[in-house]
Amino acid sequence: MMHAAMGGAKRIVLKFGSSLIIDAETGVARTIWLNSVADDVAAACEAGLQIVIVTSGAVALGRGALGLSAGRLNLDQKQAAAAAGQVKLMAAWGEAFARHGIVVAQALVTPDDTERRRRWLNARATLDTLLVCGAIPIVNENDTVATDELRYGDNDRLAARVSQMIGADVLILFSDIDGLYDADPRQNPQARHIGEVREITSAIEAMAGGSNVLSGVGTGGMRTKIEAARIATAAGCCVAIKDGFDANPLHRLLQGGQSTWFIPTSDRQSARRSWLGHNLNPAGAFVVDAGAAKALKSGASLLSIGVISVEGRFERGDTIAIKDQQTRVLAHGISAYSSADAQQILGRHSDDIEDILGYAGRPALVHRDDMVIT
């Protein structure tokens, strides 16, 4: 039976490790398996779900294409392999989804893109637009330009950050094991499977063991999955760890196949509201007229036409307060414009923004998804 966490899910992130995508013997993509994943995703999209895929496999595919020897690669070799392999990886995903007439879109990201607010906004807007257009974003770390000092190092944590960024309801980490056990089941046949985790305690972390590497081609392991679950559940996103090696892994999960579910203590909206409402130190403020104040309370975004003045100096992506004319704080939010640009467009219609600023900005100064009423 399908887990309750999937019942109301609308936006889902699927993460696939290298050991699932790459045939360990031949070093090429597992085409039949990829086709089965595309079949599952196409059916999910037909049912109204929005799917983002976080994929590994570029370095493994590129290694073979460039004739690099087995074993550990240095940074230059890894980046070269990623550059060559990313082409093959996207071609494999593209061919799998082309059978359903679905467009895939490559999104290469780095930690800066998910942790620096301005880049976070840009990346989220791009992924949102792709989903609205019916495309499947295929996300991978940009290993070609990343350095060992500034990279995720595994796609489990990247998938958690992407889930956090786009407000995903569920993150599914497909792996070469069907979830968390209280001991390594490959060494201890008496190991007990853990079906659900409601709090990531030290005891849960200990179950992950000391090694991150579980397979010959992947860089992740159970420890990184626990860390990913911690990040995602803090944002109100449910997380599942599921064996994805056999065909139709998403379908098998939806049919109730064995997995481990990590359940957040609060839902996504509550987690986001708490973060916006209580953890921000506003860099400035927008002062709004009575009409805008009323619209905000009704759930509207903040448009430039309703803003009377701008307080403070801030950049796009900084956190700001929204005040009424009596200086009462109505909301906290994330500004889509710098204070300098906002000064130029306050009181003007959204249609005028491009003519004034010289670029087509976003229609709202603060989108309702980036705002919490106080």
Side-chain angles (χ1 to χ4, degrees):
M1 186 174 71
M2 182 174 66
H3 194 279
M6 292 295 298
K10 297 296 184 184
R11 184 169 281 190
I12 301 173
V13 174
L14 310 178
K15 183 267 175 179
F16 298 103
S18 297
S19 60
L20 306 182
I21 295 171
I22 311 301
D23 187 300
E25 294 185 2
T26 64
V28 301
R30 299 173 62 211
T31 303
I32 295 175
W33 178 86
L34 284 168
N35 287 343
S36 79
V37 173
D39 294 344
D40 287 355
V41 172
C45 293
E46 189 68 24
L49 299 179
Q50 292 183 325
I51 304 292
V52 172
I53 291 175
V54 176
T55 181
S56 300
V59 172
L61 286 172
R63 179 197 291 266
L66 297 178
L68 296 173
S69 60
R72 186 177 181 85
L73 301 177
N74 64 36
L75 179 59
D76 290 343
Q77 291 173 321
K78 186 180 297 182
Q79 292 180 324
Q86 192 65 38
V87 177
K88 291 181 173 295
L89 182 62
M90 284 304 301
W93 281 114
E95 290 170 8
F97 278 100
R99 298 160 49 251
H100 297 279
I102 295 175
V103 173
V104 300
Q106 176 178 259
L108 296 176
V109 301
T110 66
D112 275 356
D113 298 320
T114 58
E115 294 176 11
R116 291 194 180 183
R117 185 60 57 185
R118 294 177 68 185
R119 294 188 179 185
W120 184 91
L121 286 170
N122 285 335
R124 190 188 68 177
T126 299
L127 293 175
D128 281 344
T129 301
L130 289 170
L131 291 171
V132 169
C133 291
I136 302 295
I138 308 290
V139 182
N140 197 1
E141 182 162 11
N142 196 349
D143 286 308
T144 302
V145 299
T147 65
D148 281 337
E149 294 77 20
L150 186 61
R151 64 190 306 271
Y152 285 103
D154 68 87
N155 277 343
D156 294 322
R157 282 172 287 211
L158 171 60
R161 290 298 188 192
V162 169
S163 300
Q164 184 184 48
M165 177 199 302
I166 67 170
D169 302 297
V170 175
L171 163 63
I172 304 170
L173 302 172
F174 286 107
S175 180
D176 53 3
I177 192 168
D178 59 358
L180 180 66
Y181 286 79
D182 62 1
D184 189 338
R186 283 162 287 199
Q187 298 180 7
N188 182 358
Q190 303 303 316
R192 181 174 61 90
H193 182 267
I194 308 299
E196 189 171 277
V197 175
R198 291 191 171 270
E199 182 182 5
I200 300 176
T201 63
S202 57
I204 293 296
E205 292 175 333
M207 294 177 189
S211 174
N212 272 339
V213 180
L214 292 181
S215 68
V217 295
T219 59
M222 191 55 67
R223 178 177 292 179
T224 64
K225 288 171 176 55
I226 298 296
E227 293 173 2
R230 186 188 299 279
I231 294 168
T233 55
C237 177
C238 295
V239 178
I241 300 174
K242 171 66 179 167
D243 175 14
F245 189 81
D246 291 334
N248 303 105
L250 179 58
H251 176 75
R252 288 187 289 109
L253 178 77
L254 295 176
Q255 293 299 307
Q258 182 163 282
S259 56
T260 296
W261 283 89
F262 294 81
I263 310 301
T265 55
S266 60
D267 62 31
R268 180 170 56 84
Q269 290 299 328
S270 296
R272 182 166 176 77
R273 288 177 63 83
S274 177
W275 177 75
L276 282 171
H278 302 292
N279 296 331
L280 300 184
N281 182 23
F286 292 127
V287 180
V288 302
D289 61 26
K294 183 177 180 180
L296 293 179
K297 292 177 181 178
S298 299
S301 298
L302 177 62
L303 304 181
S304 53
I305 194 169
V307 178
I308 298 171
S309 63
V310 179
E311 298 179 355
R313 296 180 63 183
F314 50 87
E315 296 299 321
R316 177 176 180 268
D318 284 343
T319 59
I320 51 87
I322 301 173
K323 303 177 180 179
D324 64 15
Q325 291 171 272
Q326 289 73 46
T327 72
R328 291 174 297 204
V329 176
L330 305 175
H332 289 122
I334 299 171
S335 179
Y337 291 87
S338 68
S339 55
D341 285 351
Q343 287 278 9
Q344 297 184 63
I345 61 176
L346 60 84
R348 304 294 294 270
H349 286 281
S350 299
D351 292 343
D352 299 332
I353 291 176
E354 184 172 5
D355 290 337
I356 296 170
L357 298 181
Y359 66 90
R362 303 215 163 89
L365 288 180
V366 182
H367 193 276
R368 62 185 180 185
D369 290 343
D370 294 325
M371 183 194 316
V372 59
I373 303 299
T374 58

